[in-house]
Amino acid sequence: MTRRNWAVDIITETLVKLVPGASEARTTVTVAHTLDRAMNAADTWTGSPQGLAERLATALYGRGPQQQSPLEAAQDAKRARDIGGEIGALRAGDRALKTAPWYPSRAGDLVHVHYEAAGSAPAWGETYAVEPGEGFYPGELELRLLHHTAPDAGLAGCFAPTETPDEPLYQLWFEAGPHTLTVVRNGRTVHDGRRA
């Protein structure tokens, strides 16, 4: 069950009320940036009032304790029929990874993923090593599962080896989310997802 966000609710209601008698289900919001008045050229963003409200609330108050992976954020935007939010979430995830001071991954990096408890399943984690692979792309860096504390061994190791030859953490970053990852290089933590 998703917890309601009071800030998103208030902003959504305010946006819908801009048009007297409008309903949320039939209202869209368009933000335009004029590039050239003479040619009537503009870049636009169009989405639902809730999609815009979520962006505004996040900008004002932060994401709060409930963080999402870039893929989860994109799927939420897709469900809200917010194509701009969907593309924005994927671009932001890509930008966050590629601008991290430790990017790109290097052979010898250790990556720990923490999964929160869900239902009756306890919290658990898994640790991967970044190393030259023999799997999908021989010689390219990939992840190898070192250890896990999964309650069911079938849950562990789904990110090894990776199918992304350019950056072995790409799929992990997008699906599990940067907030779940700890990256250690040469014995030092270079990314602590809990604090990032």
Side-chain angles (χ1 to χ4, degrees):
M1 179 177 178
T2 304
R3 188 172 56 198
R4 301 275 308 175
N5 183 326
W6 61 269
V8 171
D9 292 343
I10 291 169
I11 297 169
T12 301
E13 183 179 345
T14 303
L15 292 171
V16 172
K17 284 183 177 179
L18 289 172
V19 180
S23 70
E24 183 181 344
R26 297 183 59 153
T27 302
T28 59
V29 178
T30 301
V31 179
H33 172 249
T34 304
L35 299 173
D36 186 343
R37 290 190 191 277
M39 297 177 61
N40 200 22
D43 277 339
T44 62
W45 174 90
T46 302
S48 68
Q50 183 178 359
L52 178 57
E54 288 172 355
R55 285 175 165 221
L56 292 172
T58 299
L60 289 170
Y61 307 111
R63 181 152 312 278
Q66 185 178 1
Q67 293 182 316
Q68 294 180 304
S69 70
L71 185 59
E72 289 170 326
Q75 289 171 337
D76 281 354
K78 184 174 185 175
R79 281 189 290 277
R81 303 177 111 174
D82 178 4
I83 187 71
E86 181 180 359
I87 293 169
L90 296 174
R91 284 185 174 168
D94 184 70
R95 185 174 44 254
L97 174 61
K98 290 180 177 175
T99 60
W102 50 267
Y103 178 86
S105 298
R106 295 183 192 160
D109 287 355
L110 297 175
V111 184
H112 180 77
V113 190
H114 171 78
Y115 300 99
E116 293 293 335
S120 62
W124 62 283
E126 56 186 344
T127 304
Y128 293 93
V130 177
E131 55 187 35
E134 300 172 1
F136 291 104
Y137 299 95
E140 295 285 341
L141 294 179
E142 64 183 26
L143 298 177
R144 180 175 60 88
L145 180 66
L146 295 177
H147 183 72
H148 71 86
T149 57
D152 175 1
L155 297 173
C158 64
F159 295 106
T162 182
E163 295 180 26
T164 308
D166 297 333
E167 175 52 54
L169 295 188
Y170 202 82
Q171 185 178 1
L172 189 58
W173 184 271
F174 271 81
E175 291 184 23
H179 62 286
T180 67
L181 304 180
T182 302
V183 181
V184 177
R185 176 173 292 158
N186 299 327
R188 296 184 184 255
T189 301
V190 293
H191 174 81
D192 184 350
R194 295 171 301 159
R195 292 187 174 88

